[in-house]
Amino acid sequence: MDVNAAVAALAAIAGVCTGVIAMLAFRWSERDQARPTRTSLHTDAVLPPGVDTVLSVLRSSAVVLDDSDSVVKASSAAYALGLVRGGKLAVEPMLNMARDTRRDGEIRQVELDLARRGTGRGEALAVSARVAPLGSRLVLLLVEDLTEARRIEAVRRDFVANVSHELKTPTGALSLLSEAVMDASDDPEAVTRFAGRMQIEATRLTNLVQELIDLSRVQNDDPLEDSEPVSVDELVAEAIDRSRHTASTKQITMISGGAADLRVWGSRGQLAAALGNLVENAVNYSPAHTRVGIAARKIAAPGGDLIEIAVTDQGIGIPDKDKERVFERFYRVDPARSRATGGTGLGLAIVKHVAASHGGEVTVWSTEGQGSTFTLRLPEAGSARDRRPVPSPTPDLMTEPLPSPEVLP
């Protein structure tokens, strides 16, 4: 009996001890959970109320530094730009600005060129950094990426320079020829010769201005606003008719073939201009007594059937180094030949814009001395109408990279 009582007493004591230990462990756990973590110290407990939320919606890269230059808060964009590494601000000029601002409270701003991370080509990243005090101990650094803005501005300047150059040539020629006509007023043969040259330069100037207008129009117009099923047969016939006179003069045979009764969905005017430019180029850059072929077919594609229109010539061809650039504005493989044919360097740029705005593409295959094939792929009318797709973004008329002025439409 005494033994049983002793066992019961020991069990009671063990239960009490277990309860005490459990209570102490629970209290210790609660205290650990309530203890501020490093993350909370660097955000909620340090940043003024609402600042964390504001920084999370800013488009600029944001970094908050404390009085020991440690990063309290940094946006994902700041890490992506390589501004913050290992919990520290990695750009020395910005760090010096932050220290100066912490010392005197003045807002500072500077533009810097930073090396890009992950590239061994030394490409510069243009940024604008602005530092301001945030409370009594913190400093806020906002960094704006200016790289794209600078590129666009440079391209705009190049665009103006290219257009000015292209317009200056025919207008200067017209001015000189008019003076020559006046000086040769007593020589009917010379007047006739100079007047013929004036007509050529005037036509070239007119074509250049018109194609600039066309390029601007296809850039700004939404082809889906006036879209309709367009007969490919009619587009081909119109393109052939547009170049019939030039082809006849050079005794070039134009042949059309492929599948019949195909239709594409889009703006008839833009599509006619694009295909017309391809056929016109094929005729202009082909020697006499050759052939130009236009063929159409339907091909299956993951997003819906496409209509493929190929324009093939037996012309001079395009060097491999120029194939990627022939769709740039004012780019010419052979500037002398292009000027002789009246080319403006804008024809293929218009084709590229039209194809992109209609959800299609244009590609080129070419071998020097054997000819070229330009292939225009567009959504088939039925599938495109059912989908009503948003057209692919087209390169901006004013922001696409430009070649130098002296460089096939």
Side-chain angles (χ1 to χ4, degrees):
M1 201 64 166
D2 294 337
V3 174
N4 291 336
V7 171
L10 289 174
I13 294 172
V16 171
C17 292
T18 302
V20 171
I21 293 172
M23 183 179 64
L24 291 175
F26 178 75
R27 292 293 180 86
W28 186 269
S29 175
E30 280 190 330
R31 189 170 64 179
D32 278 349
Q33 291 180 6
R35 182 181 299 164
T37 63
R38 177 177 295 184
T39 302
S40 64
L41 283 173
H42 285 302
T43 55
D44 300 334
V46 176
L47 291 178
V51 173
D52 193 17
T53 303
V54 172
L55 295 182
S56 66
V57 298
L58 285 176
R59 298 182 63 183
S60 304
S61 301
V63 180
V64 178
L65 303 175
D66 62 14
D67 50 7
S68 62
D69 291 334
S70 296
V71 175
V72 175
K73 178 74 176 179
S75 64
S76 58
Y79 286 98
L81 288 178
L83 304 180
V84 178
R85 300 175 193 172
K88 295 290 185 178
L89 184 61
V91 183
E92 191 66 26
M94 295 182 186
L95 186 59
N96 293 333
M97 287 175 58
R99 290 167 178 167
D100 293 341
T101 296
R102 186 185 300 111
R103 185 179 61 254
D104 56 25
E106 293 186 5
I107 298 175
R108 289 174 169 81
Q109 184 169 352
V110 67
E111 292 188 3
L112 301 170
D113 290 332
L114 309 179
R116 288 183 183 270
R117 295 183 63 188
T119 64
R121 297 173 295 183
E123 296 177 351
L125 185 71
V127 299
S128 173
R130 185 178 180 86
V131 180
L134 186 64
S136 59
R137 297 175 51 245
L138 304 180
V139 173
L140 173 62
L141 170 67
L142 294 177
V143 179
E144 191 77 25
D145 187 352
L146 303 179
T147 308
E148 184 65 13
R150 285 191 180 181
R151 186 191 71 82
I152 291 174
E153 182 59 31
V155 169
R156 289 180 188 275
R157 290 195 302 267
D158 291 343
F159 179 81
V160 173
N162 276 269
V163 171
S164 301
H165 175 87
E166 294 294 331
L167 292 174
K168 182 179 180 180
T169 302
T171 53
L174 285 172
S175 176
L176 292 175
L177 289 169
S178 64
E179 293 179 5
V181 169
M182 293 178 63
D183 293 340
S185 57
D186 56 346
D187 187 349
E189 183 179 346
V191 169
T192 301
R193 184 173 69 254
F194 291 141
R197 286 295 307 167
M198 290 179 66
Q199 189 174 22
I200 293 173
E201 294 298 334
T203 301
R204 177 183 169 190
L205 180 61
T206 301
N207 291 340
L208 176 59
V209 172
Q210 184 59 52
E211 291 203 345
L212 281 170
I213 294 173
D214 291 343
L215 185 57
S216 178
R217 182 180 294 119
V218 301
Q219 168 65 38
N220 296 321
D221 290 353
D222 181 3
L224 295 182
E225 291 183 357
D226 57 349
S227 293
E228 59 178 328
V230 181
S231 169
V232 174
D233 293 339
E234 293 178 3
L235 291 177
V236 172
E238 187 174 333
I240 290 176
D241 188 64
R242 171 175 165 177
S243 300
R244 191 180 302 279
H245 176 71
T246 305
S248 176
T249 301
K250 300 173 67 175
Q251 297 183 350
I252 293 175
T253 304
M254 291 190 290
I255 304 171
S256 60
D261 300 324
L262 299 177
R263 292 179 178 272
V264 293
W265 185 262
S267 167
R268 178 183 177 83
Q270 291 189 18
L271 294 173
L275 186 57
N277 283 344
L278 290 180
V279 175
E280 188 174 43
N281 277 354
V283 172
N284 287 338
Y285 289 90
S286 293
H289 308 290
T290 57
R291 294 188 303 175
V292 170
I294 307 100
R297 63 171 182 167
K298 180 190 292 188
I299 59 174
D305 292 341
L306 296 176
I307 303 300
E308 189 176 86
I309 309 173
V311 180
T312 303
D313 63 60
Q314 298 173 307
I316 60 176
I318 303 171
D320 290 339
K321 63 181 180 65
D322 295 311
K323 289 179 184 177
E324 296 297 323
R325 302 194 61 189
V326 293
F327 296 103
E328 295 179 11
R329 300 183 308 277
F330 300 118
Y331 188 83
R332 298 178 174 92
V333 175
D334 185 348
R337 185 180 179 91
S338 181
R339 295 184 186 282
T341 60
T344 62
L346 293 172
L348 289 181
I350 292 175
V351 177
K352 178 182 176 180
H353 280 285
V354 172
S357 66
H358 284 74
E361 64 173 351
V362 59
T363 59
V364 58
W365 171 92
S366 184
T367 300
E368 284 189 88
Q370 297 183 24
S372 306
T373 297
F374 285 86
T375 304
L376 183 63
R377 296 183 183 90
L378 300 165
E380 190 267 337
S383 58
R385 181 178 52 218
D386 294 339
R387 295 194 312 267
R388 296 291 296 176
V390 177
S392 302
T394 60
D396 194 316
L397 171 65
M398 297 293 289
T399 61
E400 181 183 322
L402 287 165
S404 60
E406 290 299 330
V407 198
L408 186 78

